[in-house]
Amino acid sequence: MPVSNQQTLFAFDCGATNWRLYRMEYRVDETCAQILGEPQPASMTSFVDRRLPAVICLNPEGTALESFGDVAQQQLEDEQNRERVRDYFKPCIGSHLDLNPLPHQKRYTHAQALQYTQMLLQNVLEQLRQEKWRAGTFDDRVRFTFAYPIHWRYDHEGVIFAAFEKMVISCFEDSFNQIRFVSEPEGAILCLQRRGLLNAKGDGAVTLIVDVGGSTTDIVAGKVDQHTKRLDYLGRYGEPIGGGLYDSELAKHIADDLAIPASAMADDPSALVALRILGQRLKESLSRQVLHGTQANQVHQRTVTLVMRNGTVYRRVIGLDEAKFMSITGQLDRGFEELMNNALKAINLKEMEIDQVVLVGGGAQLFTIIRHLRQRFGSDKVVLADNPEEIVVQGIGLEFGASVEKIEPTIHFPGATPGIEKPVSVSPAQPGTGWKLVKPDGKEVSLFNGVTKIGRGVGNDLQLDDIKTSRFHAELHSDGEILSVVDLGSTNGTFVNDKRLPPHQPHTLADKDEIMFGKTKFVCHH
């Protein structure tokens, strides 16, 4: 009889402006994992209002982290320590591979952005170990899931994701391998499914999921199946437009309102970081007031005091109303509108086909974005999820296991050209390859021409009853004579003759090669 045990899963969404952490409990046996209760925020002392500002403050030598989160953010008020603060570094990961990176993507090098992310993660994990794990070593009773932007996996042959994956794994002990990576769109879809926010109208109606982050906006299109409630994937599109760019524009406006000379800003560039945080707070306050009216009781003005490095003090009450906000950020609003045009064109959709637009992400509550979508698609079709900034972090925790409520299989994004992904068409498998897989107990699996999907999830051609195997683990490709295997970015890897294969890179197999998915081993025979 299978032995049941309870496992804790911690889900991380390491955003550009804020990090979020959720905790889920699962009951796990030899065949499945079932979620117990609902996903809950993993409240820790460094998380304020269920979020951790993605900010670190280095020591005076710049060699180690001195503080992080809200404590580090407070250093922006100290003109002497301000230059040691680092924030908004996620957009710089992989920017060295872009032909025309935007200014906010060039604040740090790719290596610096990874280093600062690693510093923050190491400290959060240590705090988690102390506060939530009784200061013990992470063992097989705990798992971790990390969200990542989907383009990291598919642009530039996946090297950005590979660097992020390697950095995350380095933050754990070598023996710990209970780490999973889930794309942000998949996390959003899983959470929306669980909340019942995806309509299954039929008649070819399309749902758009618009994920507005701090530095990027990703759009996923699909049709919700009336029976399974799954989102049948049509395509996705993304551009580097997010809430953080609005903050940067507001920071420049605040500097002008304070009448700070350009030369003074050039001598003290860290001052602009402090103004960007102020711009973010003004933006959020204004959006709440516009969306909720007087009931929100939000004041969208602040007394701004900025002390420059040379001791000069600039002080003024800065106010922000709709007209001023739109005049400051109008070019970004036009950029978002153009992004929507590009997305519909790239995914080959017409506006009349859109039945539902679901907004998620930390930047989803920006009133100009909501207003544009309502005017374009109709107010009754636009859904702003409750706590949209927490949709992804809740969803990536649901990816593990197979609870009663979970939809199987979850969305799988195949490789594609930059900007948009389309499902790969696979020819029906046909017999005659002569290839077969043989298990240690002598059981044989005959292979056919075409693609054989392998994994733990329902819908695979070869479904493995192995908790160490990912739901979509690997694929075998055969044309009759040549057999190759591709790991799909599985958590625990695919091994050939005890050597782990790099993800998403085909490997040609030979007769009598040993191949292992998770803990399940086969020998190839031809």
Side-chain angles (χ1 to χ4, degrees):
M1 184 174 180
V3 178
S4 293
N5 68 293
Q6 189 164 322
Q7 291 194 352
T8 299
L9 184 146
F10 291 103
F12 276 88
D13 181 9
C14 305
T17 54
N18 291 296
W19 284 21
R20 301 188 184 273
L21 175 62
Y22 261 66
R23 174 177 180 158
M24 278 141 276
E25 301 294 333
Y26 282 89
R27 179 178 293 117
V28 182
D29 61 30
E30 293 178 358
T31 59
C32 69
Q34 183 174 3
I35 190 170
L36 305 176
E38 292 294 321
Q40 297 293 331
S43 55
M44 294 201 303
T45 55
S46 59
F47 281 69
V48 179
D49 296 328
R50 298 167 27 156
R51 62 181 174 81
L52 175 74
V55 183
I56 64 173
C57 182
L58 302 177
N59 62 9
E61 296 76 28
T63 57
L65 185 148
E66 182 179 272
S67 60
F68 64 94
D70 191 59
V71 176
Q73 196 172 73
Q74 292 173 10
Q75 295 299 318
L76 292 173
E77 301 173 6
D78 187 323
E79 69 278 9
Q80 300 303 318
N81 294 334
R82 196 163 55 217
E83 63 181 13
R84 296 193 277 118
V85 174
R86 305 287 185 271
D87 77 329
Y88 208 56
F89 34 80
K90 181 181 179 180
C92 301
I93 296 178
S95 61
H96 64 299
L97 298 174
D98 289 337
L99 294 177
N100 298 298
L102 296 174
H104 72 280
Q105 296 176 295
K106 297 188 291 185
R107 295 183 64 201
Y108 312 106
T109 66
H110 168 74
Q112 286 174 325
L114 281 175
Q115 178 190 11
Y116 300 150
T117 305
Q118 182 183 47
M119 285 180 171
L120 183 53
L121 179 57
Q122 285 173 333
N123 279 268
V124 173
L125 287 173
E126 177 57 25
Q127 185 184 42
L128 182 66
R129 193 178 68 84
Q130 295 289 340
E131 294 186 16
K132 302 295 183 183
W133 207 245
R134 302 171 294 282
T137 301
F138 294 133
D139 53 30
D140 59 5
R141 295 170 298 167
V142 63
R143 292 175 178 268
F144 291 85
T145 303
F146 291 86
Y148 65 88
I150 190 170
H151 66 271
W152 284 3
R153 172 83 78 172
Y154 298 109
D155 293 353
H156 310 294
E157 300 181 342
V159 297
I160 304 174
F161 172 79
F164 177 72
E165 179 185 42
K166 181 179 179 181
M167 180 277 297
V168 170
I169 292 174
S170 72
C171 295
F172 294 85
E173 294 184 0
D174 292 340
S175 58
F176 186 80
N177 62 5
Q178 308 249 85
I179 307 169
R180 305 167 73 87
F181 297 87
V182 181
S183 70
E184 292 169 356
E186 181 174 3
I189 290 166
L190 284 169
C191 185
L192 293 171
Q193 285 172 335
R194 188 174 181 87
R195 291 189 182 187
L197 291 177
L198 296 182
N199 289 337
K201 190 174 181 179
D203 301 324
V206 175
T207 292
L208 287 185
I209 299 174
V210 182
D211 183 357
V212 185
S215 60
T216 59
T217 295
D218 283 308
I219 299 169
V220 171
K223 297 180 180 180
V224 181
D225 188 280
Q226 290 181 291
H227 302 290
T228 65
K229 309 302 181 185
R230 282 194 306 109
L231 187 80
D232 294 330
Y233 175 67
L234 293 176
R236 68 101 185 167
Y237 184 84
E239 289 185 18
I241 295 177
L245 275 69
Y246 287 81
D247 305 336
S248 296
E249 290 301 315
L250 290 172
K252 298 173 187 175
H253 166 74
I254 295 172
D256 290 341
D257 262 13
L258 292 172
I260 304 176
S263 57
M265 294 298 297
D267 291 339
D268 190 358
S270 63
L272 196 61
V273 177
L275 295 182
R276 191 174 60 77
I277 299 297
L278 290 168
Q280 176 188 349
R281 292 169 179 167
L282 279 170
K283 176 196 71 178
E284 292 174 350
S285 177
L286 176 62
S287 287
R288 284 192 294 268
Q289 188 173 53
V290 172
L291 292 174
H292 303 289
T294 56
Q295 294 180 354
N297 196 30
Q298 297 292 330
V299 178
H300 48 279
Q301 65 179 24
R302 290 178 179 269
T303 300
V304 176
T305 301
L306 184 68
V307 182
M308 305 299 286
R309 188 182 303 163
N310 62 7
T312 305
V313 179
Y314 294 91
R315 184 182 184 90
R316 184 174 177 180
V317 175
I318 303 294
L320 190 66
D321 57 22
E322 285 188 57
K324 181 178 289 188
F325 179 86
M326 295 173 71
S327 69
I328 296 168
T329 64
Q331 76 279 10
L332 292 175
D333 289 332
R334 290 187 289 273
F336 181 82
E337 294 172 13
E338 188 62 26
L339 179 152
M340 294 301 302
N341 293 336
N342 295 338
L344 295 181
K345 182 178 180 181
I347 307 175
N348 194 24
L349 291 174
K350 296 181 174 60
E351 289 188 14
M352 65 182 67
E353 298 177 272
I354 310 300
D355 178 65
Q356 185 182 35
V357 180
V358 185
L359 269 165
V360 303
Q365 300 187 72
L366 182 56
F367 74 95
T368 55
I369 288 178
I370 296 173
R371 182 178 292 170
H372 168 71
L373 293 176
R374 286 174 175 171
Q375 291 174 346
R376 183 166 193 164
F377 298 103
S379 297
D380 58 326
K381 293 184 179 181
V382 178
V383 178
L384 178 63
D386 291 338
N387 300 318
E389 68 281 357
E390 297 178 1
I391 292 290
V392 167
V393 70
Q394 291 182 34
I396 63 170
L398 297 171
E399 188 271 347
F400 171 60
S403 70
V404 174
E405 298 85 3
K406 186 172 178 212
I407 307 301
E408 287 283 358
T410 57
I411 190 170
H412 171 58
F413 296 94
T417 54
I420 178 172
E421 294 173 67
K422 292 280 189 180
V424 176
S425 175
V426 180
S427 301
Q430 298 180 7
T433 69
W435 284 96
K436 60 184 177 181
L437 302 180
V438 181
K439 298 185 72 172
D441 61 6
K443 292 182 179 179
E444 298 181 357
V445 179
S446 297
L447 301 177
F448 302 92
N449 281 339
V451 178
T452 301
K453 298 179 182 295
I454 300 169
R456 181 168 45 83
V458 175
N460 285 289
D461 302 304
L462 177 54
Q463 188 178 2
L464 302 179
D465 183 10
D466 179 356
I467 198 68
K468 294 293 185 181
T469 303
S470 295
R471 293 175 39 263
F472 296 102
H473 195 100
E475 291 178 348
L476 290 169
H477 297 249
S478 175
D479 63 1
E481 291 298 323
I482 298 176
L483 179 68
S484 61
V485 60
V486 180
D487 181 87
L488 298 178
S490 62
T491 300
N492 295 310
T494 299
F495 293 79
V496 175
N497 300 326
D498 296 324
K499 182 179 179 181
R500 183 165 183 166
L501 302 181
H504 307 289
Q505 295 184 23
H507 177 85
T508 302
L509 296 165
D511 186 37
K512 297 183 180 179
D513 273 350
E514 289 188 350
I515 185 169
M516 187 164 67
F517 310 101
K519 286 190 173 182
T520 304
K521 183 177 289 187
F522 297 92
V523 177
C524 300
H525 285 283
H526 187 246

